[in-house]
């Protein structure tokens, strides 16, 4: 049985007295008259970002290649958080001193805005909301006592519930094991990506409860998860996670899982947990149906920054991941990111490099390359955090900017056998962020597969070799180094990127905390389903005729009063026919007929042969 003491062992508040202010190590270097200019300075427009794209970045004919100069730059700019053991190396990004000087005022303004945000300002003006994910790891910073109490009580409830489940005190009503052995998480976007990343990074090899995810409305994917659970459905704790409580994919997943419970003769509410905003559709459903537990999400926590809320903390705690250590790591990183000195503020340093590398307009992609299997999902997690925050059509002044930075990557050295070829020699449309983990194996577990060389040495060599090879061909990179993958370092990494995105968003003058674009997609999906209902009604009516009245595609479109949607109508019919959807004929006109009767008339091969 897993030790339950490890879940929420340490004291609830941060041990502030040993918080060491991050120090920059200065190796005394031979003095030289002035720092070598790595690039001709480039003027930076201070106008609205709309003009930013007019900047013509000086052709990077070549980055500085002298090794002694690079060593000096490495030492000069290396950020170290001694207590976290986290380093940030920006030396392989070629920004100039002039660039840093020119950006200083904008960074000071961004850091002031971040300070206001943490004090409870309406930092999400489009939705009129505060932005409070930083309060989740240091509730003393919440702007009101009420919010602080909510945060603390929720954390205590999470720890208590998780301890009771893991210990078997809370158990499923009827399961051979007599305890919960599985977690089925149903959620999407920020209600899945954080829990998935953290599970992959931190779950023990044999956790007391193994987690799996339904994060889509794909029937086959849902069937696969339920089939893999098999009889263990009876000992599965189902977490239904949705901040809004109304996301269609999550709702569909819930309905499908509840159907599986019915068919297995199981009582879903006794194994269901809801994590959602209070009084949401999901919350009310869970309350009325008497689910096992409900945990709140707060409107001032966005989906993509919810890993330190119940969304991420409950699934992690149920896997015996030490969530208070995650929170502590994030809090230490938050503290470092409040420095007003750019070079002592790792999040500001990241944002500075992102701006330089992408001209402040996203001209290059962000390739995330953790050289550690357990961090495989970090890039998927960052895709939402970075792209849903920065990918915006308008800035805060209404200028059309079409901003953003594209993110991709998986893990090294594996990706060296996939796309690094293009990075090394091909189109130069990216910069790389290496995530380096110094410890290869737990102490005493290392093994030399050849004299003096371990597997981890190869991984280290591959990372360093790739960094050098890319830089030799003028490809810029950052390196974030942690000692090992543990709750504290994962918490710190999450906090580092949450803050860097927030600072960068201020620099480019956009709202990082709303997502208007996704509503458009949801609306369009609703229109397709509404059209499908009209198509079915038309075909049902026609199928009542004896003999069946075959309709042409045009006739179906006309009867749907949607002649302009003829292509979508064809796709709808083709999809339904591929799934053998029968027409449930209205009234009592015979047995249901296959929709294929109509597809014949609508077959493109015949129609437009
Ligand atoms: O947690 P939910 O309300 O179900 O939302 C799930 C996801 O839906 C949308 O895609 C939003 O853009 C995401 O930010 C959010 O994480």
């Amino acid at each position: 049985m897993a030790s339950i003491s490890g879940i929420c062992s340490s004291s609830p508040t941060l041990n502030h007295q040993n918080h060491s202010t991050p120090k920059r190590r200065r190796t005394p270097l031979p003095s030289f008259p002035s720092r070598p200019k790595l690039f001709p300075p480039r003027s930076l427009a201070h106008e609205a970002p709309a003009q930013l794209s007019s900047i013509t970045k000086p052709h990077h004919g070549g980055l500085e290649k002298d090794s002694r100069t690079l060593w000096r730059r490495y030492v000069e700019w290396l950020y170290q958080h001694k207590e976290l053991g986290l380093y940030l190396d920006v030396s392989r990004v070629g920004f100039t001193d002039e660039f840093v000087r020119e950006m200083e005022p904008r960074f000071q303004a961004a850091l002031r805005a971040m300070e206001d945000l943490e004090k409870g300002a309406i930092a999400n003006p489009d939705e009129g909301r505060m932005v409070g994910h930083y309060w989740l790891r240091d509730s003393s910073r919440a702007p009101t006592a009420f919010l602080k109490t909510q945060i603390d009580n929720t954390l205590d409830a999470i720890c208590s519930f998780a301890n009771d489940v893991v210990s078997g005190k809370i158990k499923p009503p009827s399961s051979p094991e007599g305890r919960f052995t599985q977690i089925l998480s149903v959620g999407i976007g920020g209600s899945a990506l954080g829990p998935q990343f953290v599970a992959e990074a931190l779950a023990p090899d044999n956790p007391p409860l193994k987690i799996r995810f339904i994060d889509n409305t794909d029937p086959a994917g849902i069937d696969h998860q339920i089939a893999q659970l098999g009889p263990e459905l009876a000992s599965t704790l189902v977490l239904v996670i949705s901040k809004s409580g109304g996301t269609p994919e999550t709702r569909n997943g819930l309905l499908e899982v509840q159907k599986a419970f019915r068919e297995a003769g199981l009582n879903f509410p006794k194994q269901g947990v809801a994590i959602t905003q209070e009084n949401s559709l999901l919350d009310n459903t869970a309350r009325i149906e008497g689910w096992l537990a409900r945990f709140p999400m707060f409107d001032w926590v966005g989906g993509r920054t919810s890993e330190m809320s119940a969304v991420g903390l409950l699934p992690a705690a149920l896997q015996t991941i030490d969530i208070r250590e995650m929170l502590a790591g994030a809090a230490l990183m938050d503290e470092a990111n409040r420095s007003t000195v750019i070079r002592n503020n790792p999040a500001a340093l990241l944002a500075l490099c992102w701006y330089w590398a992408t001209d402040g307009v996203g001209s290059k992609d962000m390739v995330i390359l953790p050289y550690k299997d357990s961090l495989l999902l970090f890039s998927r997690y960052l895709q939402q955090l970075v792209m849903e925050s920065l990918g915006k059509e308008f800035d805060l002044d209404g200028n059309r900017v079409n901003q953003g930075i594209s993110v991709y990557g998986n893990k090294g050295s594996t990706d060296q056998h996939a796309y690094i070829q293009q990075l090394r020699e091909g189109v130069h449309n990216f910069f790389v962020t290496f995530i380096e983990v110094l410890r290869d194996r737990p102490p005493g577990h290392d093994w030399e597969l050849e004299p003096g060389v371990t597997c981890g040495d190869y991984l280290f060599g591959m990372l360093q070799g790739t960094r050098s090879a890319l830089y030799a061909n003028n490809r810029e990179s950052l390196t974030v180094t942690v000692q090992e993958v543990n709750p504290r370092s994962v918490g710190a990494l999450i906090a580092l990127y949450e803050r860097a995105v927030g600072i960068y968003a201020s620099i480019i003058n956009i709202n990082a905390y709303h997502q208007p674009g996704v509503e458009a997609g949801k609306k369009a999906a609703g229109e397709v389903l509404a059209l499908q209902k009209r198509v079915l009604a038309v075909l049902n009516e026609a199928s009542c005729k004896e003999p069946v009245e075959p309709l042409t595609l045009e006739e179906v479109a006309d009867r749907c009063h949607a002649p302009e949607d003829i292509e979508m109508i064809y796709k709808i019919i083709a999809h339904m026919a591929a799934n053998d959807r029968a027409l449930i004929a209205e009234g009592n006109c015979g047995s249901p007929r296959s929709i294929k009767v109509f597809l014949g008339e609508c077959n493109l091969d015949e129609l437009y042969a």
Side-chain angles (χ1 to χ4, degrees):
M1 171 77 73
S3 146
I4 56 175
S5 62
I7 294 176
C8 301
S9 49
S10 49
S11 61
T13 53
L14 260 179
N15 192 357
H16 276 291
Q17 64 269 18
N18 74 354
H19 166 61
S20 63
T21 308
K23 300 268 186 305
R24 282 181 6 80
R25 175 170 54 85
R26 274 191 177 282
T27 301
L29 288 169
S31 63
F32 46 93
S34 71
R35 208 174 278 109
K37 291 253 178 291
L38 293 166
F39 283 109
R42 51 181 182 164
S43 67
L44 261 184
H46 287 287
E47 296 79 29
Q51 284 74 38
L52 281 176
S53 52
S54 64
I55 289 179
T56 50
K57 193 168 180 178
H59 174 63
H60 282 180
L63 293 164
E64 172 60 52
K65 297 297 185 339
D66 174 69
S67 58
R68 299 300 294 172
T69 306
L70 284 173
W71 167 238
R72 283 203 298 269
R73 182 174 178 79
Y74 177 84
V75 170
E76 173 68 20
W77 281 96
L78 183 68
Y79 169 81
Q80 296 179 82
H81 193 300
K82 294 284 179 63
E83 190 171 351
L84 282 169
L86 181 147
Y87 308 151
L88 172 58
D89 162 26
V90 300
S91 66
R92 285 355 188 232
V93 176
F95 57 82
T96 62
D97 293 343
E98 185 144 11
F99 171 74
V100 177
R101 276 195 298 277
E102 287 188 355
M103 293 298 285
E104 182 71 30
R106 292 165 76 172
F107 269 87
Q108 291 310 320
L111 294 172
R112 285 191 298 274
M114 190 57 78
E115 191 179 355
D116 294 343
L117 177 151
E118 290 202 88
K119 288 175 178 167
I122 300 298
N124 177 354
D126 297 273
E127 296 176 339
R129 286 175 174 168
M130 297 187 291
V131 175
H133 48 277
Y134 301 114
W135 307 330
L136 298 171
R137 47 264 205 173
D138 183 355
S139 60
S140 66
R141 288 184 170 273
T144 67
F146 173 72
L147 289 181
K148 179 181 185 326
T149 304
Q150 273 195 309
I151 294 167
D152 293 342
N153 289 352
T154 303
L155 181 57
D156 290 344
I158 289 166
C159 288
S160 170
F161 180 79
N163 282 336
D164 288 349
V165 167
V166 170
S167 67
K169 184 177 174 186
I170 295 178
K171 56 169 69 70
S174 57
S175 93
E177 295 82 3
R179 52 187 285 279
F180 284 109
T181 60
Q182 298 280 341
I183 305 164
L184 177 57
S185 174
V186 182
I188 195 168
S191 293
L193 289 165
Q196 289 168 326
F197 161 50
V198 166
E200 184 74 19
L202 297 172
D205 294 340
N206 298 294
L209 289 89
K210 175 161 178 43
I211 196 167
R212 62 186 58 247
F213 298 89
I214 289 176
D215 66 349
N216 197 6
T217 184
D218 169 9
I222 293 168
D223 294 347
H224 181 60
Q225 295 305 324
I226 291 171
Q228 286 195 317
L229 283 170
E232 274 197 86
L233 191 65
S235 56
T236 296
L237 185 69
V238 183
L239 306 182
V240 185
I241 307 175
S242 174
K243 173 176 176 181
S244 61
T247 302
E249 295 92 334
T250 306
R251 169 244 184 207
N252 295 352
L254 169 58
L255 294 177
E256 291 274 357
V257 169
Q258 286 177 321
K259 171 177 173 287
F261 267 72
R262 283 195 302 275
E263 289 169 353
L266 297 169
N267 185 355
F268 177 83
K270 297 303 179 201
Q271 297 176 230
V273 174
I275 304 172
T276 183
Q277 282 192 112
E278 286 179 330
N279 297 321
S280 75
L281 174 61
L282 173 60
D283 186 51
N284 291 331
T285 300
R287 178 169 43 78
I288 292 164
E289 294 180 0
W291 290 17
L292 183 60
R294 294 160 36 228
F295 293 88
M297 284 186 75
F298 309 118
D299 81 327
W300 37 266
V301 177
R304 52 191 175 275
T305 53
S306 63
E307 178 55 28
M308 302 290 172
S309 75
V311 170
L313 296 182
L314 181 59
L318 287 165
Q319 299 168 79
T320 67
I321 293 167
D322 189 335
I323 61 175
R324 290 197 193 272
E325 271 294 286
M326 264 176 64
L327 292 165
L332 285 169
M333 179 52 68
D334 287 341
E335 188 61 29
N337 290 332
R338 294 185 183 107
S339 169
T340 57
V341 178
I342 292 180
R343 60 175 64 220
N344 286 349
N345 182 324
L349 275 175
L350 275 188
L352 180 82
C353 292
W354 295 354
Y355 194 101
W356 168 269
T358 71
D359 303 310
V361 295
S363 60
K364 284 199 173 75
D365 299 344
M366 181 191 298
V367 181
I368 299 292
L369 263 179
Y371 273 63
K372 187 56 67 181
D373 284 359
S374 59
L375 296 180
L376 169 66
L377 298 182
F378 192 41
S379 60
R380 279 188 69 197
Y381 174 75
L382 291 182
Q383 274 183 331
Q384 187 198 20
L385 177 59
V386 173
M387 297 176 76
E388 194 166 71
S389 300
L390 303 182
K392 300 292 164 63
E393 184 174 14
F394 297 102
D395 70 7
L396 288 167
D397 299 327
N399 301 303
R400 182 187 299 279
V401 294
N402 298 112
Q403 267 287 7
I405 301 179
S406 297
V407 177
Y408 65 92
N410 301 296
K411 64 179 181 178
S413 66
T414 310
D415 287 2
Q416 292 175 217
H417 303 267
Y419 59 82
I420 302 289
Q421 162 61 37
Q422 176 172 309
L423 300 193
R424 173 73 172 77
E425 298 179 358
V427 58
H428 188 181
N429 62 353
F430 66 91
F431 66 99
V432 173
T433 303
F434 293 102
I435 311 289
E436 178 185 35
V437 179
L438 292 179
R439 173 158 295 281
D440 297 324
R441 275 184 165 128
H445 287 70
D446 229 343
W447 174 68
E448 293 185 358
L449 40 71
E450 56 191 74
V453 180
T454 67
C455 227
D457 294 338
Y458 272 89
L459 190 64
F460 168 81
M462 298 286 189
L463 188 164
Q464 300 304 333
T466 302
R467 173 177 176 267
S468 302
L470 291 175
Y471 190 78
N473 207 12
N474 300 312
R475 271 78 175 147
E476 296 173 303
S477 68
L478 296 154
T479 303
V480 179
T481 300
V482 295
Q483 303 305 309
E484 57 185 286
V485 178
N486 58 31
R488 183 168 282 228
S489 61
V490 168
L493 282 173
I494 289 171
L496 172 60
Y497 274 85
E498 286 175 340
R499 183 87 56 159
V501 165
I503 293 172
Y504 185 82
S506 288
I507 297 290
I508 60 172
N509 191 36
I510 60 147
N511 177 0
Y513 308 108
H514 71 331
Q515 48 284 329
V518 298
E519 301 316 317
K522 286 180 183 175
K523 183 170 173 295
E527 288 162 3
V528 170
L529 291 176
L531 180 57
Q532 175 172 306
K533 286 175 182 154
R534 297 209 312 266
V535 168
L536 271 175
V538 165
L539 296 183
N540 276 327
E541 185 198 359
S543 73
C544 273
K545 303 280 178 22
E546 281 300 339
V548 168
E549 177 197 8
L551 299 173
T552 66
L553 209 50
E554 280 75 5
E555 287 167 333
V556 175
D558 288 342
R559 294 189 186 191
C560 289
H561 309 296
E564 73 288 351
D565 289 330
I566 188 165
E567 180 183 324
M568 186 56 74
I569 288 170
Y570 168 75
K571 287 175 180 289
I572 287 169
I573 291 175
H575 173 248
M576 289 197 286
N579 287 279
D580 307 317
R581 296 280 281 279
L583 292 173
I584 314 302
E586 294 297 319
N588 58 354
C589 50
S591 61
R593 285 189 164 78
S594 159
I595 207 164
K596 283 195 170 79
V597 169
F598 294 88
L599 190 64
E601 289 299 317
C602 306
N603 190 311
L604 279 184
D605 302 345
E606 294 165 16
L607 285 179
Y608 299 103

